[in-house]
Structure formats: C-alpha cells, structure tokens
Amino acid sequence: MNASDKEFLDFLDGWLAALPAKTAGEVFAQPHKTAILSVDLTNAFCKSGNLASPRVAAILPAAVALFQQGWQAGLRHIALLQDCHEPHALEYEAFAPHAVCGTEEAEAVDEIKALPFYDQMTVITKNSVSPSQNTKLDAWLEERPQLDTFIVIGDCTDICTYLLALHLRTKANAWQLPWRVIVPENCVATYDLPLETARQIGALPHAGNLLHKVFLYHMALNGIEVLRAIQ
C-alpha cells in the first residue's frame, strides 16, 4: 500500500467516525413528504439460507426503531424492496441461490411483520440486485409526487442499498427534482467473506468493513446525505 492509499484509508476512518446524527423531529418534520425505503431485510439475508449474515441481522433493532419513529411522526409511505427470485435466476451465477419466490427466505423478517402497521407497508419485489430494474419502484414513486425526502436502509451497503440510493439521487438529478436522499449508517450493513474462507469455497472475498465504508463514502460523493443515525 502506498502512502497516498494509507492516507485516504485513515481519512475514511475519520470521516465515518465523524458522521453527524439528526433528530427524528428534524427528519420527519414533514411526514407527508417523507418515505422510508427498506432493502432486503428478509429472512434470506438476516435469518437463514446461503446469504444470511449476522452483520445484517444486527441492524434490525435500529431499523425497526426507525419505522416506529417515522410512523409515530405521521409518516405513511414505507416500501419494502425484497428479493423474490425465480428458481433458476440468472443472479445465481454470481450469488448462491437465495430468496426463491414463495419461500420463507423471500419474506420480511418477523421483527418487521410484528409491527402493527406492517399491512400498510408496500412490498416491492425484485429479481436482481437492482431495486429499480423490472420492478414497481418507479411506479410507486410516480403515485406519490409529493415525496421529496427518502430514507434508505437495509442491505447490502455496497450492492442493493447502494443501487437504490444512487437510483433516487440520479433520478432526482436527471429530472431536476428537489429530493433529499438520506442513508443512516446504523441502519445499513453488508456481509463479510474473509480471504481464507473465500479460497476454501471457491468464491470471491468480500471485505465487509472496508466496503461498507467505501460505498457509504461514494454515496456521499454523489450527494446522498449519510448520517450516523436518526435519533
């Protein structure tokens, strides 16, 4: 590693540690214009199956608390974007089979289902890592033209969550929409696959801590508001 790379990694650690927090009162000040979009907080990524990760499951308490904060403030626009794959999905060429439609893996975790307003959330299924490709996301947005603040949570920081946040930010930029896209760091996570384990199973390694930081930073570079938490 050269000195410049080391300097940047040190800067990245400091940047993450210094992320600001905002109050729920501030973020949910206009609840009728605010939405929470959650990505893949399902059994497949939190509880059981080939891609379940304890790192992802660890954000569930903060995510559930955020749903509750928003609802108590009057927010009524919540979308759950969730993998629902065909049995022979092309994505399985890159990732182990997971979240087949109609299975328990493709369902939201019980912690979310237990919320008294769960039946008022909108489930939007997807067949790839992209929440916007061949999904009903854009139609859901078009049905709610008053929305201008979007809180993105879920997993993985560097894959589906990143693609959702970037879709919202670039859509806003392209159409000159005065949107605010917010990602609270305590409500997003990604998995870790150490080099040695990856070699043993013939997979590509995935440095969870590093990629979590890098992709949060890249969101910030693109104008997304990355917060430590919404309190």
Side-chain angles (χ1 to χ4, degrees), residues 159-201:
I159 309 174
C160 302
T161 306
Y162 172 79
L163 290 173
L164 173 58
L166 261 289
H167 175 67
L168 294 169
R169 184 67 267 155
T170 56
K171 184 180 180 73
N173 293 350
W175 294 96
Q176 292 293 108
L177 301 172
W179 287 1
R180 182 184 185 190
V181 182
I182 301 171
V183 175
E185 189 270 340
N186 70 323
C187 289
V188 297
T190 192
Y191 70 99
D192 186 67
L193 184 60
L195 182 58
E196 182 177 351
T197 304
R199 285 172 173 163
Q200 290 173 354
I201 65 175

Short mmCIF file of all heavy atoms in Angstrom, two decimals, residues 159-201:
data_model
loop_
_atom_site.label_atom_id
_atom_site.label_comp_id
_atom_site.label_asym_id
_atom_site.label_seq_id
_atom_site.Cartn_x
_atom_site.Cartn_y
_atom_site.Cartn_z
N ILE A 159 -24.23 -3.02 -2.37
CA ILE A 159 -24.91 -3.66 -3.50
C ILE A 159 -26.31 -3.06 -3.64
O ILE A 159 -26.47 -1.98 -4.21
CB ILE A 159 -24.95 -5.21 -3.34
CG1 ILE A 159 -23.54 -5.75 -3.04
CG2 ILE A 159 -25.45 -5.87 -4.63
CD1 ILE A 159 -23.48 -7.23 -2.73
N CYS A 160 -27.33 -3.72 -3.11
CA CYS A 160 -28.71 -3.27 -3.33
C CYS A 160 -29.01 -1.91 -2.70
O CYS A 160 -29.69 -1.07 -3.31
CB CYS A 160 -29.69 -4.31 -2.82
SG CYS A 160 -29.48 -5.93 -3.57
N THR A 161 -28.53 -1.68 -1.49
CA THR A 161 -28.79 -0.39 -0.84
C THR A 161 -28.12 0.74 -1.61
O THR A 161 -28.72 1.80 -1.82
CB THR A 161 -28.27 -0.43 0.61
OG1 THR A 161 -28.85 -1.54 1.28
CG2 THR A 161 -28.64 0.85 1.35
N TYR A 162 -26.89 0.50 -2.01
CA TYR A 162 -26.16 1.49 -2.81
C TYR A 162 -26.90 1.80 -4.11
O TYR A 162 -27.07 2.96 -4.48
CB TYR A 162 -24.76 0.93 -3.09
CG TYR A 162 -23.93 1.72 -4.06
CD1 TYR A 162 -23.28 2.89 -3.66
CD2 TYR A 162 -23.76 1.30 -5.38
CE1 TYR A 162 -22.50 3.61 -4.56
CE2 TYR A 162 -22.98 2.01 -6.27
CZ TYR A 162 -22.35 3.16 -5.87
OH TYR A 162 -21.58 3.87 -6.75
N LEU A 163 -27.35 0.74 -4.80
CA LEU A 163 -28.03 0.93 -6.08
C LEU A 163 -29.35 1.67 -5.91
O LEU A 163 -29.72 2.49 -6.76
CB LEU A 163 -28.25 -0.41 -6.77
CG LEU A 163 -26.98 -1.10 -7.29
CD1 LEU A 163 -27.31 -2.50 -7.80
CD2 LEU A 163 -26.34 -0.27 -8.41
N LEU A 164 -30.05 1.42 -4.82
CA LEU A 164 -31.30 2.15 -4.57
C LEU A 164 -31.03 3.62 -4.30
O LEU A 164 -31.68 4.50 -4.88
CB LEU A 164 -32.05 1.52 -3.39
CG LEU A 164 -33.29 2.29 -2.93
CD1 LEU A 164 -34.30 2.44 -4.06
CD2 LEU A 164 -33.92 1.58 -1.72
N ALA A 165 -30.09 3.90 -3.41
CA ALA A 165 -29.79 5.30 -3.09
C ALA A 165 -29.31 6.05 -4.33
O ALA A 165 -29.70 7.20 -4.56
CB ALA A 165 -28.74 5.35 -1.98
N LEU A 166 -28.46 5.41 -5.13
CA LEU A 166 -27.97 6.05 -6.35
C LEU A 166 -29.09 6.25 -7.37
O LEU A 166 -29.14 7.26 -8.08
CB LEU A 166 -26.84 5.22 -6.97
CG LEU A 166 -25.42 5.70 -6.68
CD1 LEU A 166 -25.10 6.99 -7.41
CD2 LEU A 166 -25.19 5.86 -5.18
N HIS A 167 -30.01 5.30 -7.44
CA HIS A 167 -31.14 5.46 -8.36
C HIS A 167 -31.96 6.69 -7.99
O HIS A 167 -32.31 7.49 -8.86
CB HIS A 167 -32.03 4.21 -8.32
CG HIS A 167 -33.26 4.34 -9.16
ND1 HIS A 167 -33.23 4.43 -10.54
CD2 HIS A 167 -34.58 4.45 -8.81
CE1 HIS A 167 -34.46 4.56 -11.02
NE2 HIS A 167 -35.29 4.58 -9.98
N LEU A 168 -32.25 6.85 -6.71
CA LEU A 168 -33.03 8.00 -6.28
C LEU A 168 -32.29 9.31 -6.52
O LEU A 168 -32.85 10.29 -7.01
CB LEU A 168 -33.38 7.86 -4.80
CG LEU A 168 -34.32 6.71 -4.43
CD1 LEU A 168 -34.36 6.54 -2.91
CD2 LEU A 168 -35.72 6.96 -4.97
N ARG A 169 -31.00 9.32 -6.18
CA ARG A 169 -30.20 10.54 -6.33
C ARG A 169 -30.04 10.92 -7.80
O ARG A 169 -30.19 12.08 -8.18
CB ARG A 169 -28.83 10.33 -5.66
CG ARG A 169 -27.92 11.55 -5.65
CD ARG A 169 -28.43 12.67 -4.78
NE ARG A 169 -29.24 13.63 -5.55
CZ ARG A 169 -30.17 14.41 -5.03
NH1 ARG A 169 -30.44 14.35 -3.74
NH2 ARG A 169 -30.84 15.25 -5.79
N THR A 170 -29.73 9.94 -8.65
CA THR A 170 -29.51 10.26 -10.07
C THR A 170 -30.83 10.56 -10.78
O THR A 170 -30.86 11.38 -11.70
CB THR A 170 -28.78 9.11 -10.79
OG1 THR A 170 -29.51 7.88 -10.63
CG2 THR A 170 -27.37 8.92 -10.24
N LYS A 171 -31.92 9.94 -10.34
CA LYS A 171 -33.23 10.28 -10.91
C LYS A 171 -33.57 11.73 -10.57
O LYS A 171 -34.05 12.48 -11.44
CB LYS A 171 -34.29 9.33 -10.34
CG LYS A 171 -35.70 9.52 -10.92
CD LYS A 171 -36.66 8.52 -10.27
CE LYS A 171 -38.07 8.69 -10.82
NZ LYS A 171 -38.20 8.19 -12.20
N ALA A 172 -33.32 12.11 -9.33
CA ALA A 172 -33.57 13.49 -8.93
C ALA A 172 -32.71 14.47 -9.73
O ALA A 172 -33.20 15.50 -10.20
CB ALA A 172 -33.29 13.65 -7.44
N ASN A 173 -31.44 14.12 -9.92
CA ASN A 173 -30.55 14.99 -10.68
C ASN A 173 -31.00 15.12 -12.13
O ASN A 173 -31.02 16.21 -12.71
CB ASN A 173 -29.11 14.46 -10.63
CG ASN A 173 -28.51 14.55 -9.24
OD1 ASN A 173 -29.07 15.17 -8.34
ND2 ASN A 173 -27.37 13.92 -9.06
N ALA A 174 -31.36 13.99 -12.73
CA ALA A 174 -31.71 13.98 -14.14
C ALA A 174 -32.97 14.79 -14.42
O ALA A 174 -33.09 15.44 -15.47
CB ALA A 174 -31.89 12.54 -14.62
N TRP A 175 -33.92 14.76 -13.49
CA TRP A 175 -35.19 15.43 -13.69
C TRP A 175 -35.31 16.74 -12.90
O TRP A 175 -36.40 17.32 -12.83
CB TRP A 175 -36.34 14.49 -13.32
CG TRP A 175 -36.44 13.32 -14.24
CD1 TRP A 175 -35.92 12.07 -14.06
CD2 TRP A 175 -37.09 13.29 -15.51
NE1 TRP A 175 -36.20 11.26 -15.12
CE2 TRP A 175 -36.91 11.98 -16.05
CE3 TRP A 175 -37.80 14.23 -16.27
CZ2 TRP A 175 -37.42 11.60 -17.28
CZ3 TRP A 175 -38.31 13.85 -17.50
CH2 TRP A 175 -38.12 12.56 -18.00
N GLN A 176 -34.20 17.19 -12.31
CA GLN A 176 -34.20 18.44 -11.55
C GLN A 176 -35.25 18.42 -10.43
O GLN A 176 -35.98 19.39 -10.20
CB GLN A 176 -34.46 19.63 -12.49
CG GLN A 176 -33.33 19.91 -13.47
CD GLN A 176 -32.06 20.40 -12.78
OE1 GLN A 176 -31.08 19.68 -12.69
NE2 GLN A 176 -32.09 21.62 -12.29
N LEU A 177 -35.29 17.30 -9.72
CA LEU A 177 -36.24 17.15 -8.62
C LEU A 177 -35.55 17.51 -7.31
O LEU A 177 -34.46 17.02 -7.03
CB LEU A 177 -36.74 15.70 -8.56
CG LEU A 177 -37.44 15.18 -9.83
CD1 LEU A 177 -37.70 13.68 -9.70
CD2 LEU A 177 -38.74 15.93 -10.06
N PRO A 178 -36.17 18.32 -6.48
CA PRO A 178 -35.54 18.76 -5.22
C PRO A 178 -35.65 17.69 -4.13
O PRO A 178 -36.24 17.92 -3.07
CB PRO A 178 -36.34 20.02 -4.87
CG PRO A 178 -37.71 19.75 -5.40
CD PRO A 178 -37.50 18.96 -6.68
N TRP A 179 -35.08 16.53 -4.41
CA TRP A 179 -35.17 15.42 -3.48
C TRP A 179 -33.99 15.40 -2.52
O TRP A 179 -32.88 15.75 -2.86
CB TRP A 179 -35.21 14.09 -4.23
CG TRP A 179 -36.50 13.80 -4.94
CD1 TRP A 179 -37.61 14.59 -4.98
CD2 TRP A 179 -36.80 12.63 -5.71
NE1 TRP A 179 -38.59 13.99 -5.73
CE2 TRP A 179 -38.12 12.78 -6.19
CE3 TRP A 179 -36.09 11.49 -6.03
CZ2 TRP A 179 -38.74 11.82 -6.99
CZ3 TRP A 179 -36.69 10.52 -6.82
CH2 TRP A 179 -38.00 10.69 -7.28
N ARG A 180 -34.27 14.89 -1.33
CA ARG A 180 -33.24 14.65 -0.32
C ARG A 180 -33.18 13.13 -0.09
O ARG A 180 -34.19 12.50 0.21
CB ARG A 180 -33.64 15.37 0.97
CG ARG A 180 -32.65 15.27 2.12
CD ARG A 180 -33.25 15.97 3.35
NE ARG A 180 -32.32 16.01 4.47
CZ ARG A 180 -32.65 16.39 5.70
NH1 ARG A 180 -33.90 16.76 5.97
NH2 ARG A 180 -31.75 16.39 6.66
N VAL A 181 -32.01 12.55 -0.27
CA VAL A 181 -31.83 11.11 -0.07
C VAL A 181 -30.91 10.93 1.13
O VAL A 181 -29.79 11.44 1.15
CB VAL A 181 -31.23 10.43 -1.32
CG1 VAL A 181 -31.09 8.93 -1.10
CG2 VAL A 181 -32.08 10.72 -2.56
N ILE A 182 -31.40 10.20 2.13
CA ILE A 182 -30.70 10.05 3.41
C ILE A 182 -30.41 8.58 3.68
O ILE A 182 -31.28 7.72 3.50
CB ILE A 182 -31.55 10.61 4.57
CG1 ILE A 182 -31.87 12.08 4.35
CG2 ILE A 182 -30.86 10.39 5.91
CD1 ILE A 182 -32.89 12.65 5.33
N VAL A 183 -29.19 8.27 4.10
CA VAL A 183 -28.82 6.91 4.49
C VAL A 183 -28.25 6.96 5.91
O VAL A 183 -27.16 7.49 6.12
CB VAL A 183 -27.78 6.30 3.53
CG1 VAL A 183 -27.32 4.93 4.03
CG2 VAL A 183 -28.35 6.18 2.12
N PRO A 184 -28.97 6.43 6.90
CA PRO A 184 -28.43 6.36 8.26
C PRO A 184 -27.52 5.14 8.40
O PRO A 184 -27.95 4.01 8.19
CB PRO A 184 -29.67 6.25 9.14
CG PRO A 184 -30.72 5.65 8.25
CD PRO A 184 -30.37 6.03 6.84
N GLU A 185 -26.27 5.37 8.76
CA GLU A 185 -25.27 4.30 8.77
C GLU A 185 -25.63 3.17 9.71
O GLU A 185 -25.29 2.01 9.44
CB GLU A 185 -23.90 4.90 9.15
CG GLU A 185 -22.72 3.94 8.99
CD GLU A 185 -22.44 3.14 10.25
OE1 GLU A 185 -22.88 3.57 11.33
OE2 GLU A 185 -21.78 2.08 10.16
N ASN A 186 -26.31 3.45 10.79
CA ASN A 186 -26.64 2.39 11.75
C ASN A 186 -27.77 1.49 11.27
O ASN A 186 -28.08 0.49 11.92
CB ASN A 186 -27.00 2.98 13.12
CG ASN A 186 -28.32 3.73 13.11
OD1 ASN A 186 -28.68 4.39 12.13
ND2 ASN A 186 -29.06 3.65 14.20
N CYS A 187 -28.36 1.81 10.14
CA CYS A 187 -29.45 1.01 9.59
C CYS A 187 -29.08 0.34 8.27
O CYS A 187 -29.96 -0.11 7.52
CB CYS A 187 -30.70 1.86 9.39
SG CYS A 187 -31.51 2.36 10.93
N VAL A 188 -27.79 0.31 7.94
CA VAL A 188 -27.33 -0.38 6.73
C VAL A 188 -26.14 -1.26 7.11
O VAL A 188 -25.42 -1.00 8.06
CB VAL A 188 -26.95 0.59 5.60
CG1 VAL A 188 -28.15 1.40 5.16
CG2 VAL A 188 -25.82 1.52 6.02
N ALA A 189 -25.95 -2.33 6.33
CA ALA A 189 -24.85 -3.26 6.61
C ALA A 189 -24.55 -4.08 5.37
O ALA A 189 -25.35 -4.15 4.44
CB ALA A 189 -25.19 -4.18 7.78
N THR A 190 -23.38 -4.72 5.39
CA THR A 190 -23.04 -5.66 4.34
C THR A 190 -22.35 -6.87 4.95
O THR A 190 -21.94 -6.84 6.11
CB THR A 190 -22.15 -5.01 3.26
OG1 THR A 190 -22.08 -5.89 2.12
CG2 THR A 190 -20.75 -4.72 3.76
N TYR A 191 -22.26 -7.93 4.18
CA TYR A 191 -21.69 -9.18 4.69
C TYR A 191 -20.17 -9.17 4.60
O TYR A 191 -19.57 -8.33 3.92
CB TYR A 191 -22.25 -10.37 3.91
CG TYR A 191 -21.76 -10.47 2.47
CD1 TYR A 191 -20.71 -11.34 2.13
CD2 TYR A 191 -22.33 -9.71 1.45
CE1 TYR A 191 -20.25 -11.44 0.83
CE2 TYR A 191 -21.89 -9.81 0.14
CZ TYR A 191 -20.85 -10.67 -0.16
OH TYR A 191 -20.39 -10.76 -1.46
N ASP A 192 -19.55 -10.13 5.29
CA ASP A 192 -18.09 -10.27 5.25
C ASP A 192 -17.74 -11.69 4.84
O ASP A 192 -18.32 -12.65 5.35
CB ASP A 192 -17.50 -9.96 6.63
CG ASP A 192 -15.97 -9.96 6.60
OD1 ASP A 192 -15.40 -9.07 5.95
OD2 ASP A 192 -15.37 -10.86 7.22
N LEU A 193 -16.82 -11.82 3.90
CA LEU A 193 -16.31 -13.13 3.48
C LEU A 193 -14.79 -13.04 3.43
O LEU A 193 -14.22 -12.53 2.47
CB LEU A 193 -16.86 -13.52 2.11
CG LEU A 193 -16.49 -14.91 1.59
CD1 LEU A 193 -16.98 -16.00 2.54
CD2 LEU A 193 -17.05 -15.14 0.19
N PRO A 194 -14.12 -13.51 4.50
CA PRO A 194 -12.66 -13.41 4.57
C PRO A 194 -11.96 -14.14 3.42
O PRO A 194 -12.51 -15.09 2.85
CB PRO A 194 -12.33 -14.06 5.92
CG PRO A 194 -13.60 -13.98 6.70
CD PRO A 194 -14.69 -14.11 5.71
N LEU A 195 -10.76 -13.71 3.13
CA LEU A 195 -10.00 -14.26 2.02
C LEU A 195 -9.82 -15.77 2.16
O LEU A 195 -10.01 -16.52 1.20
CB LEU A 195 -8.64 -13.56 1.93
CG LEU A 195 -7.71 -13.98 0.77
CD1 LEU A 195 -8.39 -13.78 -0.57
CD2 LEU A 195 -6.41 -13.18 0.85
N GLU A 196 -9.44 -16.23 3.33
CA GLU A 196 -9.19 -17.66 3.52
C GLU A 196 -10.45 -18.48 3.28
O GLU A 196 -10.43 -19.52 2.61
CB GLU A 196 -8.66 -17.92 4.93
CG GLU A 196 -8.33 -19.38 5.19
CD GLU A 196 -7.74 -19.61 6.57
OE1 GLU A 196 -7.43 -18.61 7.26
OE2 GLU A 196 -7.59 -20.77 6.95
N THR A 197 -11.58 -18.01 3.81
CA THR A 197 -12.84 -18.71 3.61
C THR A 197 -13.23 -18.71 2.15
O THR A 197 -13.70 -19.72 1.61
CB THR A 197 -13.95 -18.06 4.45
OG1 THR A 197 -13.56 -18.03 5.82
CG2 THR A 197 -15.25 -18.82 4.32
N ALA A 198 -13.05 -17.58 1.50
CA ALA A 198 -13.39 -17.48 0.08
C ALA A 198 -12.57 -18.47 -0.75
O ALA A 198 -13.09 -19.11 -1.68
CB ALA A 198 -13.15 -16.06 -0.41
N ARG A 199 -11.30 -18.60 -0.43
CA ARG A 199 -10.46 -19.55 -1.15
C ARG A 199 -10.95 -20.98 -0.95
O ARG A 199 -10.95 -21.79 -1.88
CB ARG A 199 -9.01 -19.41 -0.68
CG ARG A 199 -8.30 -18.19 -1.23
CD ARG A 199 -6.94 -18.00 -0.56
NE ARG A 199 -6.17 -16.92 -1.18
CZ ARG A 199 -5.13 -16.34 -0.61
NH1 ARG A 199 -4.72 -16.74 0.60
NH2 ARG A 199 -4.48 -15.37 -1.23
N GLN A 200 -11.38 -21.30 0.25
CA GLN A 200 -11.83 -22.65 0.56
C GLN A 200 -13.09 -23.03 -0.21
O GLN A 200 -13.26 -24.18 -0.61
CB GLN A 200 -12.07 -22.78 2.06
CG GLN A 200 -10.81 -22.74 2.90
CD GLN A 200 -11.12 -22.71 4.39
OE1 GLN A 200 -12.27 -22.60 4.81
NE2 GLN A 200 -10.08 -22.79 5.22
N ILE A 201 -13.96 -22.08 -0.41
CA ILE A 201 -15.23 -22.38 -1.08
C ILE A 201 -15.24 -21.95 -2.55
O ILE A 201 -16.25 -22.11 -3.24
CB ILE A 201 -16.41 -21.72 -0.34
CG1 ILE A 201 -16.33 -20.19 -0.40
CG2 ILE A 201 -16.47 -22.20 1.10
CD1 ILE A 201 -17.53 -19.49 0.22
#
